[in-house]
Amino acid sequence: MCGIIGYIGKRQAAPIIFDGLKRLEYRGYDSAGMAIFDGSNGVQIKKDIGLVDDINKRLNFLSMQGNIGIGHTRWATHGGVTQTNAHPHISNNKKILVIHNGIVENYQELLTMLKENGFTFYSETDTEIIPNLIEFEMRKGKDFEHAAIDAIKQFDGYCAVLAMFEGERKIVAARNGSPLVVGVGNGENFIASDIPAFLEHTKNVIYIHDSDFVVLDSNRVKFFNLEDGKEVGRPLHSIDWDIEQAKKGNFDHFMMKEISEQVQTVKSAANQDKEILFEIADEMKKAKGVFLVACGSSYHACLTASYLFSKITKLHINVVLGSEFSNYENFLTPGTLVIAVSQSGETIDVLDAVKTARQKGSKVMSLVNVVGSSLHRNSDRALMLNAGPEICVLSTKTYTAQLTVLALLAYTIAGKYDEGKKNLEYLWNIIYNLTAANTRKYLMKLAEELKDKNHIFTIGRGLQFPTSLEAALKIKEVSYIHAEGFSGGELKHGTIALIEQGTPCIVFSSKENEKEIISNAMEIKARGGYIIGIDSKKNKDVFDFFIKVPDVGDLNPIIQIIPIQILSYQLAVLRGCDPDKPRNLAKSVTVK
Ligand code: AGP
């Protein structure tokens, strides 16, 4: 889950690469580095551990001269977080520079072979074998491009690679499973893991497909197939959102900005291409088995959908974690419909699930946010979340967008499309109030009470059970407080043993399950628990802290999560955590 960017053109590369790296930092931020080349003098390399801005203060990235450059932000997979392990990596002959996202699974055997051929290694990374393998291939008399192709073809595993050779004014790249996209400028070209890295320079993009090998110079971008070396054509697309949407605006962090954007993103998510929506609804009705497959928050959205489809459509759907999907492959037939749900469209466990589905002849449809992502391009049909770029590592606006689209699908299958669309579009008013300054100020009182707690529990029943799981994920991944979500009905099967004096427990309640869940809350309270109630009305006897959320029936999961998104953000800020870039995490999990 690293961020990579390259530039070649007529302008100084350093400022472009530097800004691009900062827009890519949400993909990984252990360390960062840049290599800049002016086409004649030696390549300059600067890299270190830490955030891009901090490294720049120490090493002055912007002092590097040249109009060809590559840059990298790292999320460590092989080797610790050290300056030596930071990218770019250089070949023994000091002429080939490489940055890489992904894993070279057979790097040990390649490392042994290269060492036997006299190569020396200095880092603990798998990446360092790439520039040296290219050098090894060039020693056989191949030019840089052909040497790079033959080297990259030897890799097992998913990766995206950018390489520069000191002797030539070009950047070469290859993609196999990890995201990569080209930005086409006027007399300059860009290549990066994600569009925001170069969007302020061009809106013209070319999506790179798996097994593509790309050669960029200032005026041309050429695509070849890695396997047979034949040139291939790739279409040019124009992006319909702008860089302002990928900036923080007046907010201190993307997380709060994106939580606030839900006032309009839920409405945008409800505004679907009706033809595709009805087509997917029909496919679901016809299918001999439907699987929703996702990870993390997207999985919680799918789990919520399983309750909605049962309640609204009577249609049985299976929900499976992407990483567990292969265990169910014997259920898959050509009549099965697999719906993959992924905001990034690059989550490797979901992409692997899609591959498994394809191998069994099943149809694949998807809900994605990133246009042109791997999942988007590998689906028979896709519904877009229309949430705009989500920069914060945490999924907030895309989570409620997924819930919205899945709810709309359920209403459509039940023949209630108009009713469902109207109910969903009405939510903006409630979300506006839930994200308003006075609500945030009220929630800050709770955040102050909880900020030093070691454990927080969240419970719910029915539709509120997946909401409790999502609430716990939000809290733990951004504030590092241990949080556990569970079904209220499971309380007495073990978890109640953990309740002590003052243990905070967030209780999601609604008309549908009020009696049972309040009973659970009383059991926790009786053992000293501190009850935070999320409900449409205050239960004075049980709630120690009350968060008022209107009851909107089946659509409760879309709005009940919002106060906890805000609370999680506030806990992170109070605890000195970075809400946009939590430790050890990255925006999309592109390695297994
Ligand atoms: C949620 O806050 C996390 N960022 C994470 O669980 C995320 O939902 C998961 O990695 C799935 O990502 P995707 O939707 O891009 O596939």
Side-chain angles (χ1 to χ4, degrees):
M1 292 94 77
C2 304
I4 52 183
I5 178 169
Y7 170 80
I8 183 166
K10 47 191 183 286
R11 292 188 281 165
Q12 282 301 314
I16 294 168
I17 300 287
F18 175 70
D19 285 341
L21 285 180
K22 290 203 288 183
R23 294 202 196 292
L24 288 171
E25 261 191 322
Y26 66 93
R27 301 180 56 83
Y29 26 87
D30 298 328
S31 53
M34 289 170 46
I36 304 289
F37 173 49
D38 64 5
S40 54
N41 302 320
V43 178
Q44 308 137 71
I45 302 176
K46 293 183 184 232
K47 62 181 186 176
D48 203 349
I49 61 174
L51 297 174
V52 173
D53 269 331
D54 296 339
I55 301 169
N56 183 49
K57 287 182 190 125
R58 293 196 298 272
L59 304 182
N60 194 2
F61 280 136
L62 297 172
S63 65
M64 300 164 86
Q65 297 302 308
N67 46 29
I68 310 174
I70 55 177
H72 184 272
T73 58
R74 185 172 182 241
W75 188 87
T77 55
H78 285 70
V81 179
T82 65
Q83 190 273 348
T84 310
N85 289 340
H87 298 209
H89 287 280
I90 193 163
S91 55
N92 278 197
N93 66 6
K94 306 297 180 208
K95 291 184 176 299
I96 301 164
L97 279 299
V98 163
I99 56 177
H100 166 235
N101 177 19
I103 293 175
V104 181
E105 288 179 359
N106 57 330
Y107 92 98
Q108 284 290 6
E109 63 187 82
L110 292 169
L111 183 71
T112 304
M113 181 277 289
L114 288 168
K115 283 182 175 174
E116 285 165 358
N117 282 277
F119 284 84
T120 310
F121 291 87
Y122 305 92
S123 80
E124 305 158 325
T125 68
D126 55 341
T127 306
E128 195 181 2
I129 64 146
I130 302 175
N132 288 300
L133 194 56
I134 295 173
E135 179 186 342
F136 180 63
E137 292 298 330
M138 290 185 78
R139 285 184 188 174
K140 298 175 185 172
K142 299 172 187 173
D143 64 32
F144 174 50
E145 285 179 36
H146 288 91
I149 287 175
D150 289 349
I152 292 165
K153 280 166 68 173
Q154 297 176 53
F155 300 155
D156 294 339
Y158 296 113
C159 69
V161 176
L162 256 62
M164 287 194 319
F165 173 53
E166 187 181 73
E168 298 180 21
R169 280 192 56 81
K170 65 177 71 167
I171 292 173
V172 301
R175 169 187 178 148
N176 180 22
S178 295
L180 212 48
V181 59
V182 167
V184 179
N186 179 11
E188 57 186 13
N189 287 309
F190 310 78
I191 184 167
S193 310
D194 206 351
I195 291 167
F198 55 66
L199 186 59
E200 65 186 299
H201 305 294
T202 179
K203 290 193 167 198
N204 298 318
V205 304
I206 303 176
Y207 297 109
I208 301 174
H209 293 199
D210 287 344
S211 296
D212 278 0
F213 182 79
V214 190
V215 181
L216 290 90
D217 66 26
S218 302
N219 297 302
R220 279 178 315 158
V221 182
K222 299 182 84 171
F223 288 76
F224 302 87
N225 181 283
L226 262 176
E227 298 317 313
D228 60 22
K230 290 199 176 94
E231 190 163 355
V232 293
R234 294 286 178 235
L236 190 69
H237 298 264
S238 180
I239 294 302
D240 63 4
W241 42 271
D242 58 36
I243 194 61
E244 285 314 308
Q245 287 177 273
K247 287 182 176 173
K248 278 185 265 196
N250 299 325
F251 291 90
D252 293 336
H253 300 97
F254 281 109
M255 183 172 178
M256 195 60 232
K257 173 185 179 240
E258 290 157 3
I259 289 169
S260 303
E261 286 176 349
Q262 291 174 117
V263 175
Q264 66 266 10
T265 54
V266 165
K267 199 187 291 184
S268 306
N271 187 21
Q272 286 299 322
D273 178 320
K274 213 172 160 183
E275 185 187 338
I276 297 179
L277 183 77
F278 276 74
E279 182 181 344
I280 293 178
D282 287 343
E283 290 290 344
M284 291 181 77
K285 284 189 279 192
K286 286 187 310 192
K288 291 186 177 44
V290 178
F291 282 85
L292 295 186
V293 60
C295 300
S297 290
S298 303
Y299 171 75
H300 297 149
C302 293
L303 203 52
T304 305
S306 66
Y307 287 81
L308 284 175
F309 278 96
S310 166
K311 286 161 60 74
I312 300 172
T313 71
K314 312 284 182 285
L315 181 70
H316 176 89
I317 55 169
N318 305 286
V319 180
V320 182
L321 284 166
S323 53
E324 295 296 320
F325 188 76
S326 59
N327 298 296
Y328 294 82
E329 64 179 87
N330 293 330
F331 291 155
L332 303 177
T333 71
T336 307
L337 173 62
V338 173
I339 299 179
V341 177
S342 171
Q343 130 17 66
S344 64
E346 299 296 349
T347 297
I348 200 65
D349 289 329
V350 174
L351 298 180
D352 278 355
V354 165
K355 277 189 183 154
T356 302
R358 291 289 191 210
Q359 285 157 3
K360 293 290 185 176
S362 303
K363 274 192 181 173
V364 172
M365 300 192 171
S366 62
L367 272 57
V368 287
N369 192 44
V370 179
V371 175
S373 59
S374 300
L375 180 58
H376 185 202
R377 288 184 288 104
N378 291 322
S379 303
D380 298 316
R381 272 283 179 270
L383 288 172
M384 304 313 294
L385 299 180
N386 304 330
E390 185 173 67
I391 306 301
C392 174
V393 165
L394 278 80
S395 168
T396 51
K397 64 176 181 175
T398 57
Y399 174 70
T400 51
Q402 288 166 343
L403 290 172
T404 299
V405 177
L406 289 163
L408 189 60
L409 256 179
Y411 279 115
T412 303
I413 288 169
K416 299 177 180 174
Y417 168 79
D418 293 325
E419 175 193 338
K421 191 165 189 299
K422 184 168 70 63
N423 292 347
L424 286 162
E425 287 178 338
Y426 162 74
L427 293 180
W428 75 270
N429 202 8
I430 297 172
I431 298 170
Y432 179 83
N433 294 327
L434 288 175
T435 53
N438 60 330
T439 310
R440 300 206 303 265
K441 193 172 168 199
Y442 175 71
L443 289 170
M444 181 56 91
K445 292 179 196 166
L446 179 60
E448 291 286 359
E449 286 186 48
L450 299 182
K451 66 182 170 56
D452 298 319
K453 293 292 183 183
N454 295 318
H455 306 282
I456 298 176
F457 293 97
T458 61
I459 65 170
R461 287 173 174 259
L463 277 171
Q464 278 71 44
F465 166 45
T467 301
S468 71
L469 298 179
E470 175 61 12
L473 176 59
K474 289 282 103 34
I475 292 168
K476 73 178 109 175
E477 68 175 332
V478 77
S479 72
Y480 315 150
I481 297 173
H482 168 248
E484 180 180 348
F486 56 93
S487 163
E490 282 297 289
L491 187 66
K492 293 188 282 294
H493 295 282
T495 313
I496 199 165
L498 295 174
I499 304 302
E500 298 171 336
Q501 188 56 41
T503 302
C505 185
I506 299 171
V507 177
F508 291 92
S509 176
S510 70
K511 289 191 194 94
E512 186 182 51
N513 52 47
E514 179 182 12
K515 183 171 166 295
E516 297 87 348
I517 202 69
I518 293 301
S519 164
N520 289 140
M522 291 172 79
E523 290 161 353
I524 293 170
K525 193 178 180 74
R527 289 159 180 81
Y530 180 78
I531 304 302
I532 298 127
I534 295 186
D535 202 339
S536 55
K537 62 188 183 310
K538 178 167 186 172
N539 186 316
K540 292 187 180 60
D541 299 330
V542 179
F543 297 161
D544 299 305
F545 191 96
F546 172 54
I547 301 172
K548 183 176 175 62
V549 179
D551 193 309
V552 293
D554 294 340
L555 303 183
N556 278 334
I558 296 173
I559 58 172
Q560 286 189 330
I561 194 61
I562 291 173
I564 304 306
Q565 292 173 342
I566 296 170
L567 176 68
S568 303
Y569 169 75
Q570 293 170 336
L571 285 170
V573 172
L574 288 174
R575 290 167 61 92
C577 306
D578 182 338
D580 292 333
K581 299 193 281 283
R583 67 186 180 198
N584 306 337
L585 294 178
K587 184 60 181 172
S588 56
V589 181
T590 58
V591 292
K592 290 183 87 65

